[in-house]
Amino acid sequence: MKIKSIIYLLFYAIPLSIHAQNYKLVWSDEFNENSLNKNWNIEVLDNPYNNELQCYTNSSSNVNIENGNLVITARRESLNGKSFTSGRINSSTKVNFKHGKLEARIKIPKLANGLWPAFWMMGEDPQNIGWPTCGEIDIMEAGNSEGIKNNTQERLFSGCIHWGSSLSDHRMWTSGAVTNGYDITGDYHIFTAIWNESYLRFYLDNSTQPYYEATITKDYDSYNYFHKPFYILFNLAVGGDYTNILNPANITALPSEGSEAKMYIDYVRLYQEEGQVNVYSKETTGLSKISTIKNKDTAYYSISGMKLNSKPSWSGIYIHGGKKIIE
């Protein structure tokens, strides 16, 4: 979701069916119980990036679990200097993973004009090395200004990756927005990311042809941007750079005070190849048991990423073998 300077780097990959690998379910959240504290962090941001017009709150009226769905609600209401409120969650420090097949079944609200839903991932360490060095993988973003201009906003979406050694070195690759043959809003659709040592490929509704692909072999960059654990994010932004709507009056998707739009996530599931299991989780879900590691290193961090001189009395993070583990 972060958009700064834009430098394109050409990637090419050969399409491959998402069913070709032997994947096994290793973790999921079906949202059949309130898992917000177990698997997710609800972000509170008064001034999010990208010139977005909403603030993100931890109110249950913006982020909640209802009837087997995670529900993120955008609303036209004034709060903390913004004209809208909405929700954004992440699994940082609770569920991180490297490589596999990640899919989410999502119902996107009608987008016209000004809504910007997203399903994406960030490298596990932005608080330590900054963005874009941590790496970012945008699996699905919708509501782009190109669709608004062409009146195809309910069928248009895109994928993208971001990386670089610093803000001034920010690089990104997108194959451009895709105009789908059918409406992707108002009903559930499955968005899938296939991620391995060689490539990233994104698919809609189990299609055999990806709508996005990027080669990420280490030959392209000496830094390991896309081969470390990432965490998952969902959010529903209002306005901002992606939509090219910066005036609250032009957000026609939320026309009047109190107007709402809801993004529903029915489930999010992570599959990995047999024998690969590479998931770091705060909780044991029954699908992926995380073993207790003995002989811990003595580097301890707070949840915010601050290094501590001694082991905290409360649950925090320790570093073992270069990996961030939740205790």
Side-chain angles (χ1 to χ4, degrees):
M1 287 285 291
K2 288 188 179 179
I3 297 176
K4 301 290 184 184
S5 60
I6 298 177
I7 302 176
Y8 291 94
L9 179 64
L10 179 62
F11 285 85
Y12 177 77
I14 300 171
L16 184 67
S17 169
I18 63 175
H19 306 294
Q21 286 81 6
N22 184 22
Y23 287 111
K24 176 182 178 181
L25 183 67
V26 295
W27 175 85
S28 76
D29 197 335
E30 306 293 319
F31 302 111
N32 291 325
E33 60 180 31
N34 192 336
S35 58
L36 287 174
N37 290 328
K38 182 175 74 173
N39 292 332
W40 308 97
N41 307 294
I42 303 175
E43 298 189 28
V44 177
L45 293 170
D46 288 340
N47 293 292
Y49 294 100
N50 312 316
N51 294 307
E52 296 165 30
L53 300 178
Q54 84 295 325
C55 58
Y56 291 117
T57 86
N58 59 4
S59 170
S60 60
S61 64
N62 292 118
V63 180
N64 203 11
I65 290 180
E66 305 170 6
N67 301 317
N69 284 259
L70 167 67
V71 184
I72 299 178
T73 303
R75 181 180 300 104
R76 186 183 283 266
E77 62 177 337
S78 298
L79 183 68
N80 298 333
K82 296 290 187 177
S83 298
F84 306 90
T85 63
S86 192
R88 171 166 148 169
I89 68 167
N90 70 65
S91 69
S92 175
T93 74
K94 295 184 177 179
V95 179
N96 296 346
F97 72 99
K98 184 180 81 170
H99 299 159
K101 180 174 80 169
L102 180 69
E103 68 177 23
R105 185 171 183 259
I106 306 172
K107 182 195 290 187
I108 297 170
K110 293 296 182 181
L111 303 171
N113 284 336
L115 295 183
W116 177 8
F119 167 36
W120 52 304
M121 299 190 292
M122 286 270 282
E124 65 172 348
D125 47 3
Q127 71 274 28
N128 296 328
I129 62 176
W131 185 93
T133 312
C134 62
E136 177 179 332
I137 299 170
D138 299 328
I139 301 167
M140 181 278 295
E141 297 181 276
N144 186 264
S145 57
E146 182 181 335
I148 295 172
K149 179 178 66 176
N150 297 320
N151 198 31
T152 58
Q153 58 268 62
E154 317 296 9
R155 296 188 288 119
L156 187 142
F157 59 99
S158 63
C160 190
I161 57 175
H162 300 259
W163 74 100
S165 60
S166 65
L167 279 174
S168 61
D169 181 45
H170 170 219
R171 286 166 277 170
M172 62 180 286
W173 163 242
T174 178
S175 52
V178 175
T179 302
N180 195 47
Y182 54 86
D183 191 341
I184 64 165
T185 69
D187 202 353
Y188 289 97
H189 296 278
I190 297 173
F191 295 90
T192 302
I194 303 293
W195 175 28
N196 63 25
E197 290 281 356
S198 300
Y199 58 77
L200 278 158
R201 293 178 180 143
F202 307 156
Y203 300 82
L204 174 67
D205 291 333
N206 295 318
S207 170
T208 59
Q209 294 297 316
Y211 62 82
Y212 174 90
E213 52 189 324
T215 297
I216 53 170
T217 55
K218 294 177 184 178
D219 296 341
Y220 284 101
D221 281 285
S222 58
Y223 191 84
N224 195 21
Y225 294 105
F226 297 107
H227 301 290
K228 61 181 181 181
F230 272 57
Y231 59 85
I232 307 162
L233 301 97
F234 294 98
N235 69 282
L236 179 56
V238 182
D241 297 334
Y242 190 77
T243 67
N244 198 31
I245 298 178
L246 306 180
N247 185 341
N250 295 330
I251 303 296
T252 59
L254 299 171
S256 57
E257 191 70 13
S259 295
E260 293 182 344
K262 295 179 183 290
M263 175 181 177
Y264 295 86
I265 297 94
D266 179 32
Y267 61 73
V268 54
R269 295 172 180 168
L270 173 63
Y271 303 81
Q272 292 182 323
E273 294 185 56
E274 292 284 354
Q276 180 196 343
V277 181
N278 188 346
V279 183
Y280 307 92
S281 175
K282 186 177 181 181
E283 299 286 344
T284 297
T285 65
L287 292 171
S288 175
K289 182 174 176 58
I290 309 304
S291 299
T292 300
I293 298 177
K294 300 182 183 300
N295 302 319
K296 303 172 186 176
D297 296 343
T298 55
Y300 292 96
Y301 294 78
S302 70
I303 290 296
S304 64
M306 181 178 294
K307 190 170 184 178
L308 306 174
N309 293 325
S310 60
K311 181 178 179 179
S313 59
W314 40 266
S315 294
I317 303 170
Y318 65 89
I319 302 299
H320 180 87
K323 299 185 185 303
K324 185 181 298 180
I325 311 293
I326 306 306
E327 182 179 61

